[in-house]
Amino acid sequence: MGDEKTQQMWIIFISTICLLSLITSVSGVLCPNGCKCENEVLRANCSGAGIEVVPIQLNPELHVMDLSRNKITQLHYTFTFYEKLLALDVSKNRIKNVGSGNFKTQKVLKSLNLSSNYIDSLTKDTFEGLKELLQLDLSNNQLESINQNAFKDLHNLTVLRLNGNQLDYFEDGTFKSTPNLETLYIDDNSFIEIPSSLSDLVRLKILSVARNLIEVLEDDKVPNLHDLHTLVLVQNLIFEIQPTGLASFPKLDHLDLSDNNLTVLPTAQLAKLSKLTNLKLNGNSFESIPPVAFRGLFHLKYLMLNRLEYLKTVDARAFVDNINLEKISLDYNYNTKSLPTRLFHGNPKLRFVSVRYNSIKSLVASHFPLDQLSELRLGGNPLDCNCSMGWLWKLLHESMSQTKDNNSYVQESPNPKPVLVKKSNDLKLDVNEVMCETPEELHNIKLFRATQRQMDCSMSWLAILSVSLTVVFILGIIAGVFFFMPKKKPKKTIEKDIPKIIKTSYNAPPLPPPRKSLPNSDAGHIDRYIMPPIMLQNRALPIWDPYEQQCNGGGNIYEQLNDHRDRPHIVYV
Ligand SMILES: *[C@@H]1O[C@H](CO)[C@@H](O)[C@H](O)[C@H]1NC(C)=O
Ligand SMILES: *[C@@H]1O[C@H](CO)[C@@H](O)[C@H](O)[C@H]1NC(C)=O
Ligand SMILES: *[C@@H]1O[C@H](CO)[C@@H](O)[C@H](O)[C@H]1NC(C)=O
Ligand SMILES: *[C@@H]1O[C@H](CO)[C@@H](O)[C@H](O)[C@H]1NC(C)=O
Ligand SMILES: *[C@@H]1O[C@H](CO)[C@@H](O)[C@H](O)[C@H]1NC(C)=O
Ligand SMILES: *[C@@H]1O[C@H](CO)[C@@H](O)[C@H](O)[C@H]1NC(C)=O
């Protein structure tokens, strides 16, 4: 009974088609209301036409069909007649179920867009027949899982968008048949790790996993992606990268770890990425950028370190390994009050430096390699505009007059002589953003508006004289103190050696402090560590003191403790 009904339906259906194609061949293409049919280029555009079903009366030779922004709910048997389609866009409709085998005849389709529908499942036959498909967009649907054979025919697929679904895993083998995939977007899902089944994607170049729930990049769980050059992990919850957590991406060129929960710069982990040129670490929780923080990243060109809310200190040698650095941005690090001078002097290729909206009060010219930079941004810092900012004031004025000269120059003479334009090194500054916080009379005033007098540090002869006198006086006092200071003979030998020890501990990498081997299994010795010092007073001498060598042993422990206390004085004098 059902069979008969379907048969009837099919007859009506097919005769309608015949009729329609007849009409079509007689009077060109029948174009539904709201659609735009461009027959010469074999394109039909029904975007936003308000249609509820896929039109079946269009030119069967069509190459491009745009059905986006409509109210289509299902696709059953609708594309059978359009065998020559190259691009099909059904995005922003109301499709829940894509069904099975609905694209069987689309053997040459290159691009299929199903984004922004309500698709919640894919069967093993959903994409059957799409052997030449290059691009598949399934973004912004409601997929929770994907049949592991759903992509079995998509040998040629190069770009797959699955962002904006509710995926949290891929079954093993999901990507077994798509070895040509180069770009995969799985942002805005619920992954807690970079899915290990991506290992099948031997040609993957771009992987975007932003806004998922990844907390740790674990050593053994990260897929091997030898060709990957771009990895985006923005806005996850990453607080730890295990030692080899990044080692399976040897060709990585661009890494974005912005807006995660890293508290320590993953120096050693990043050092595995020797090809990296572009690194973004904005919005993490680093408190400091230690010496050689980007060790081994010799190819690094662009480094973004913005919005590091907790960043207080940047080591003067932080970027010494990054000899190819061209552009660095340290904006909105509100807790950074100062930068070490000469921070960038090991970066001969640096052209762009931005340090906007930090809490820096004072800057000196040696903070930046001014003669090599082409752009410097310093706006939004609470500058103390005393005369020591004169260099910047001058630079701002130069930059302004340069712009002005340039303009008037261009207006005045039709063929400019390059000599004039190139005279100074064309340093661009954010002139209008560089503001003063103090002193009172310059509060909230742009630095370049300060007067020359306010920026003049030269002192009157009287001032110079009084300063020199003060210096002489202080030196006199110090000399006197040294001269009359009682000499502590017995400690002489100690004095000589300690500074050496202290010094080594300031060098990087820090050497372990000199250590005496601990007493081995001798039980009597162990007592010494457990018993209170009074009991030990008359025993033979402990090995605690690292400087014991100089002490001739034998002394009582209180004397030795006193020694310890005295030493810092000796060191700092
Ligand atoms: C169809 O038309 C819309 C505007 O109505 C346009 O945005 C869209 O790009 C067109 N599609 C194609 C495939 O040309
Ligand atoms: C698919 O359609 C959406 C919405 O119309 C659009 O934003 C997206 O760029 C399209 N995808 C591709 C790969 O063209
Ligand atoms: C699709 O893949 C086949 C072999 O798998 C290959 O011959 C063909 O050139 C590919 N087509 C495109 C457009 O890449
Ligand atoms: C991660 O960082 C975000 C933003 O900095 C913060 O709101 C969140 O509490 C942190 N989560 C954890 C688990 O530390
Ligand atoms: C200018 O201000 C800075 C920061 O407040 C201070 O360190 C510096 O000594 C001042 N220089 C002069 C010449 O007053
Ligand atoms: C200065 O002039 C050059 C060409 O002579 C032009 O390319 C450049 O944009 C000008 N700069 C400004 C800031 O106007």
Side-chain angles (χ1 to χ4, degrees):
M1 165 183 131
D3 266 12
E4 228 177 84
K5 224 176 182 178
T6 0
Q7 214 171 359
Q8 261 180 358
M9 265 176 64
W10 270 104
I11 290 167
I12 298 171
F13 192 55
I14 287 166
S15 44
T16 319
I17 302 305
C18 292
L19 195 68
L20 284 172
S21 45
L22 198 70
I23 296 170
T24 306
S25 56
V26 173
S27 64
V29 177
L30 193 78
C31 202
N33 247 353
C35 296
K36 208 170 108 205
C37 303
E38 297 164 278
N39 238 349
E40 326 74 63
V41 289
L42 299 170
R43 184 161 64 193
N45 191 342
C46 299
S47 181
I51 53 179
E52 289 173 18
V53 290
V54 176
I56 49 170
Q57 72 273 41
L58 299 170
N59 186 343
E61 302 288 310
L62 278 180
H63 283 174
V64 179
M65 192 189 289
D66 186 346
L67 301 172
S68 61
R69 301 194 290 126
N70 283 297
K71 300 171 188 162
I72 298 167
T73 54
Q74 51 94 3
L75 304 175
H76 300 312
Y77 309 113
T78 47
F79 297 113
T80 327
F81 314 104
Y82 306 108
E83 291 185 4
K84 311 237 165 107
L85 273 180
L86 298 176
L88 174 60
D89 187 346
V90 207
S91 64
K92 299 199 173 165
N93 278 280
R94 299 176 183 173
I95 301 157
K96 193 160 186 293
N97 188 348
V98 197
S100 280
N102 284 320
F103 303 105
K104 258 188 201 159
T105 56
Q106 273 64 53
K107 297 225 159 52
V108 294
L109 193 68
K110 302 279 189 255
S111 166
L112 174 59
N113 195 340
L114 290 166
S115 82
S116 301
N117 280 285
Y118 306 122
I119 302 168
D120 56 11
S121 66
L122 301 174
T123 73
K124 70 181 186 11
D125 296 321
T126 299
F127 299 118
E128 194 185 347
L130 294 172
K131 299 211 166 170
E132 298 227 338
L133 197 67
L134 295 172
Q135 285 213 23
L136 175 59
D137 192 339
L138 283 163
S139 58
N140 302 315
N141 279 289
Q142 290 164 6
L143 292 169
E144 283 179 22
S145 65
I146 292 176
N147 183 295
Q148 76 188 99
N149 293 314
F151 303 139
K152 69 180 184 325
D153 275 1
L154 311 183
H155 303 295
N156 284 18
L157 197 65
T158 57
V159 185
L160 175 59
R161 292 170 202 265
L162 287 167
N163 45 301
N165 282 284
Q166 286 138 38
L167 297 165
D168 54 13
Y169 77 105
F170 290 124
E171 282 183 56
D172 281 346
T174 303
F175 298 102
K176 211 172 45 201
S177 309
T178 57
N180 289 310
L181 199 63
E182 291 181 359
T183 307
L184 175 62
Y185 297 91
I186 50 174
D187 320 62
D188 299 289
N189 279 286
S190 307
F191 290 101
I192 56 166
E193 60 187 24
I194 301 177
S196 53
S197 46
L198 301 187
S199 288
D200 289 328
L201 299 174
V202 291
R203 302 210 173 89
L204 198 65
K205 300 216 163 32
I206 301 174
L207 174 60
S208 191
V209 200
R211 293 172 299 277
N212 277 276
L213 305 170
I214 302 172
E215 293 186 345
V216 180
L217 294 184
E218 287 178 67
D219 284 344
D220 305 323
K221 295 205 177 166
V222 178
N224 279 325
L225 295 169
H226 284 284
D227 263 5
L228 200 68
H229 67 60
T230 298
L231 176 59
V232 178
L233 290 165
V234 175
Q235 284 185 44
N236 277 277
L237 305 164
I238 300 169
F239 64 86
E240 185 188 353
I241 299 178
Q242 294 187 348
T244 59
L246 290 169
S248 44
F249 316 120
K251 291 201 188 149
L252 210 60
D253 170 86
H254 182 136
L255 174 62
D256 194 342
L257 277 166
S258 296
D259 299 298
N260 277 288
N261 289 45
L262 292 168
T263 52
V264 178
L265 252 157
T267 299
Q269 296 88 324
L270 289 172
K272 305 256 180 355
L273 305 175
S274 59
K275 299 250 169 35
L276 209 61
T277 66
N278 197 330
L279 176 60
K280 295 178 184 149
L281 290 166
N282 306 324
N284 278 285
S285 308
F286 312 124
E287 287 178 14
S288 69
I289 300 182
V292 209
F294 305 97
R295 174 155 51 84
L297 302 184
F298 303 117
H299 296 282
L300 197 64
K301 284 187 183 169
Y302 311 105
L303 181 55
M304 298 293 136
L305 295 166
N306 305 314
R307 293 184 287 102
L308 304 176
E309 212 182 316
Y310 304 101
L311 184 68
K312 292 211 175 74
T313 56
V314 180
D315 189 273
R317 304 195 301 138
F319 310 118
V320 288
D321 256 12
N322 317 112
I323 48 174
N324 278 301
L325 199 61
E326 289 175 17
K327 182 169 176 176
I328 186 167
S329 181
L330 287 153
D331 295 346
Y332 303 100
N333 299 335
Y334 295 117
N335 275 309
T336 305
K337 297 203 169 69
S338 68
L339 289 180
T341 55
R342 306 181 67 80
L343 176 60
F344 305 117
H345 284 248
N347 312 106
K349 296 196 175 163
L350 198 62
R351 297 291 174 268
F352 175 102
V353 174
S354 185
V355 193
R356 298 156 66 235
Y357 296 93
N358 281 238
S359 296
I360 298 171
K361 287 190 164 168
S362 176
L363 287 163
V364 293
S366 59
H367 269 116
F368 309 105
L370 292 172
D371 48 352
Q372 81 189 39
L373 288 185
S374 60
E375 186 161 355
L376 175 60
R377 299 188 188 176
L378 299 170
N381 283 293
L383 295 178
D384 185 359
C385 298
N386 57 23
C387 72
S388 59
M389 297 300 287
W391 67 275
L392 183 55
W393 180 85
K394 227 166 128 193
L395 220 55
L396 292 169
H397 276 257
E398 262 168 33
S399 168
M400 276 162 57
S401 63
Q402 210 171 304
T403 326
K404 229 190 286 164
D405 283 356
N406 203 8
N407 288 344
S408 57
Y409 187 72
V410 171
Q411 277 160 13
E412 275 161 29
S413 79
N415 36 335
K417 292 169 227 157
V419 193
L420 259 176
V421 180
K422 290 237 164 112
K423 197 177 59 185
S424 58
N425 72 338
D426 287 348
L427 176 61
K428 210 173 136 203
L429 286 137
D430 50 346
V431 178
N432 283 302
E433 327 287 312
V434 182
M435 309 281 286
C436 300
E437 175 81 13
T438 46
E440 200 56 43
E441 74 263 25
L442 285 173
H443 181 68
N444 270 347
I445 307 265
K446 292 174 184 170
L447 174 56
F448 80 84
R449 293 207 188 283
T451 62
Q452 181 137 28
R453 194 184 47 77
Q454 282 166 319
M455 288 296 125
D456 192 358
C457 269
S458 60
M459 290 186 261
S460 68
W461 65 271
L462 199 72
I464 293 170
L465 191 71
S466 66
V467 168
S468 331
L469 282 177
T470 317
V471 170
V472 168
F473 182 68
I474 291 170
L475 285 177
I477 289 180
I478 292 172
V481 166
F482 267 96
F483 191 78
F484 293 109
M485 203 162 60
K487 292 182 178 118
K488 294 176 187 170
K489 271 257 165 74
K491 287 185 183 160
K492 204 61 177 204
T493 47
I494 301 165
E495 279 172 10
K496 263 187 205 153
D497 285 273
I498 282 141
K500 231 189 274 165
I501 292 157
I502 302 287
K503 238 189 226 159
T504 51
S505 73
Y506 276 107
N507 278 342
L511 296 168
R515 263 225 206 150
K516 298 251 92 191
S517 55
L518 283 173
N520 18 31
S521 46
D522 184 342
H525 284 257
I526 289 166
D527 281 350
R528 221 169 279 136
Y529 298 94
I530 300 165
M531 282 187 220
I534 294 161
M535 312 261 312
L536 286 168
Q537 222 166 11
N538 296 319
R539 286 223 203 157
L541 154 184
I543 326 207
W544 270 124
D545 186 0
Y547 309 112
E548 185 219 22
Q549 261 176 325
Q550 285 88 33
C551 289
N552 295 335
N556 95 17
I557 198 152
Y558 291 113
E559 258 173 43
Q560 288 189 12
L561 280 173
N562 275 335
D563 257 11
H564 282 283
R565 283 194 195 119
D566 284 343
R567 268 175 205 134
H569 290 292
I570 297 160
V571 173
Y572 293 121
V573 161

